[in-house]
């Protein structure tokens, strides 16, 4: 597995310090609100868990699963809900937790989805941001790190369902995803 890695971009320690920083900001910004943290499965599961540990105000947790990429490395632009939320979001202050914002198509769909269900407020928290590939005009209010236009894996993020278990964030060698 490690021989497929091009470069380690962020170590586990670096990620955890950043997660604590984001959690502190959220704990401040959402004081007295009805915070609902929604993790987007499966890529954000490690980030969501880590973030939740350091949020120091009352909050709820839910998960939603969508498909956008299937098993390929190219976005289709077609988003399907594979697993819906367990609870009602009406009146809640929702933060959608993503692993990586690339074209932004998945999130623009999710933003509309939460708006239609009458959330009180909606913001995006993403571990990674790949702004050069953006195709929609969405505001990623909280994010951990900007990444270059490369294929990223680790810390929950996959290529064809593999590499999620890497404790760091890395770029994948081109020959791995172009073969
Ligand atoms: P978007 O709709 O193009 O913004 O893509 C969002 C989703 O595509 C993310 O939540 C990831 O699951 C996946 N994705 C985008 N870029 C990468 C990458 O570099 N590595 C792995 N998955 C990615
Ligand atoms: Mg994802």
């Amino acid at each position: 597995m490690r021989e497929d890695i091009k470069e380690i971009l962020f170590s586990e320690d670096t990620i955890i310090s950043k997660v604590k920083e984001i959690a502190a900001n959220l704990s401040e910004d959402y004081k007295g609100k009805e915070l609902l943290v929604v993790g987007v499965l499966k890529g954000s599961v490690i980030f969501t868990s880590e973030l939740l540990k350091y949020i120091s105000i009352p909050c709820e947790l839910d998960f939603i699963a969508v498909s956008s990429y299937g098993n390929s490395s190219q976005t289709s632009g077609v988003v399907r809900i594979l697993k819906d939320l367990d609870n009602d979001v009406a009146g809640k202050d929702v933060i959608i937790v993503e692993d990586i914002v690339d074209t932004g198509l998945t999130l623009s769909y999710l933003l509309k989805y939460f708006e239609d269900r009458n959330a009180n407020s909606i913001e995006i928290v993403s571990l990674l941001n790949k702004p050069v590939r953006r195709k929609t005009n969405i505001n990623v209010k909280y994010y951990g790190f900007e990444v270059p236009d490369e294929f990223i894996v680790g810390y929950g993020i996959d290529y064809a369902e593999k590499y999620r278990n890497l404790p760091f964030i890395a770029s994948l060698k081109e020959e791995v995803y172009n073969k």
Side-chain angles (χ1 to χ4, degrees):
M1 189 155 75
R2 302 279 167 120
E3 59 271 19
D4 296 343
I5 297 304
K6 182 174 167 194
E7 191 189 346
I8 295 180
L9 301 173
F10 308 104
S11 71
E12 188 173 13
D13 284 351
T14 305
I15 299 166
I16 290 173
S17 310
K18 185 61 83 175
V19 170
K20 287 181 181 172
E21 201 181 301
I22 298 170
N25 289 337
L26 292 173
S27 304
E28 188 59 39
D29 295 354
Y30 284 85
K31 233 177 240 167
K33 301 208 166 166
E34 290 288 319
L35 178 58
L36 170 64
V37 175
V38 177
V40 183
L41 295 172
K42 294 176 245 181
S44 82
V45 78
I46 299 180
F47 177 45
T48 304
S49 311
E50 200 64 33
L51 192 65
L52 208 74
K53 276 164 46 184
Y54 300 109
I55 291 178
S56 58
I57 56 169
C59 70
E60 291 175 32
L61 174 67
D62 209 339
F63 287 100
I64 193 166
V66 297
S67 76
S68 51
Y69 274 35
N71 267 350
S72 96
S73 62
Q74 286 301 303
T75 193
S76 61
V78 178
V79 179
R80 273 193 312 137
I81 303 281
L82 303 177
K83 182 231 166 273
D84 208 340
L85 300 167
D86 293 337
N87 297 309
D88 195 7
V89 301
K92 298 280 165 72
D93 295 292
V94 175
I95 58 169
I96 306 174
V97 186
E98 256 288 26
D99 50 359
I100 177 165
V101 188
D102 188 24
T103 62
L105 292 169
T106 309
L107 274 171
S108 59
Y109 176 87
L110 283 177
L111 286 169
K112 170 124 194 357
Y113 188 83
F114 285 100
E115 275 162 21
D116 290 347
R117 278 154 191 79
N118 300 314
N120 183 53
S121 67
I122 313 161
E123 293 291 353
I124 296 164
V125 182
S126 184
L127 178 58
L128 304 178
N129 191 5
K130 214 192 256 184
V132 293
R133 298 242 313 162
R134 204 61 38 83
K135 287 185 184 155
T136 54
N137 186 20
I138 55 165
N139 177 30
V140 185
K141 184 165 181 190
Y142 307 89
Y143 66 88
F145 309 99
E146 262 189 31
V147 289
D149 188 13
E150 296 196 76
F151 205 87
I152 310 295
V153 292
Y155 208 77
I157 303 169
D158 75 308
Y159 170 64
E161 294 300 327
K162 300 286 193 316
Y163 309 98
R164 294 191 196 276
N165 54 317
L166 294 174
F168 47 79
I169 292 167
S171 55
L172 208 55
K173 284 184 183 159
E174 257 174 60
E175 57 263 36
V176 179
Y177 61 91
N178 276 334
K179 72 179 175 224

